Amino acid sequence: MDCVFCDILAGKIPSAKLLETESLYAFLDIAPANKGHALIIPRTHCQDILGVDPKIGEDLLSTMQRIARAIVNVTGAKGFNIIQNNGRVAGQEVDHLHWHIIPRFDRAEMPLWKQGKYESMDEMMRLATTIKLQI
Ligand code: AMP
């Protein structure tokens, strides 16, 4: 299987490593939205968030906190985004699950999404009910 992030984990492709844990690897994104933009990936390959073992949750949150604190300290960012894309339509280009940590300096530099609306409160409530039945 051809996977650029598996090649990074295997040391076949160089990366600007930040941290390794039992289940995760963190490194700088090669084409940063802002300098300091980092990626966290699971060591075990899976395509997206639906395929990962939820047991990595504690390691993931603690790694996110450690990386984000360090990036903010070093870059002087005023905030940061944590973004995780699933599927091409959602902007996923690399098919190995990853979380982006992006330092932010100015809200206007990167609008995240255009806010939409429901036709009515009833429409929103009906959709919530339908989704709840699938959980
Ligand atoms: P996504 O669009 O969510 O799949 O993000 C994939 C990210 O991986 C992009 O931001 C790329 O810049 C980044 N990327 C791709 N190849 C490499 C690499 N060899 N080293 C570091 N980052 C990479």
Side-chain angles (χ1 to χ4, degrees):
M1 183 187 43
D2 227 15
C3 171
V4 64
F5 288 174
C6 285
D7 285 350
I8 284 176
L9 287 164
K12 292 184 199 158
I13 294 179
S15 65
K17 173 179 147 182
L18 298 174
L19 180 73
E20 276 186 271
T21 72
E22 199 184 322
S23 52
L24 303 164
Y25 184 87
F27 56 107
L28 290 182
D29 194 298
I30 204 163
N34 279 325
K35 288 180 184 170
H37 178 166
L39 298 172
I40 301 175
I41 62 175
R43 290 181 181 285
T44 305
H45 181 95
C46 61
Q47 184 169 329
D48 60 27
I49 202 160
L50 298 180
V52 74
D53 184 346
K55 290 199 186 78
I56 70 159
E58 191 174 334
D59 189 11
L60 176 63
L61 277 181
S62 124
T63 298
M64 282 176 171
Q65 289 174 336
R66 293 175 69 191
I67 301 280
R69 268 194 208 106
I71 292 171
V72 165
N73 286 342
V74 168
T75 64
K78 297 190 177 69
F80 57 92
N81 292 111
I82 295 182
I83 297 175
Q84 193 273 305
N85 301 324
N86 299 277
R88 292 283 173 276
V89 76
Q92 182 176 11
E93 296 298 335
V94 175
D95 289 338
H96 182 130
L97 173 63
H98 52 282
W99 287 266
H100 296 257
I101 302 185
I102 303 174
R104 296 297 299 268
F105 303 90
D106 174 3
R107 189 168 177 163
E109 75 202 349
M110 214 188 302
L112 287 180
W113 58 78
K114 185 170 162 283
Q115 288 189 306
K117 64 178 168 88
Y118 290 99
E119 292 310 316
S120 63
M121 195 59 146
D122 186 52
E123 184 197 4
M124 188 169 80
M125 292 304 181
R126 276 189 284 111
L127 183 57
T129 302
T130 312
I131 293 170
K132 271 191 281 185
L133 289 171
Q134 294 285 324
I135 293 173

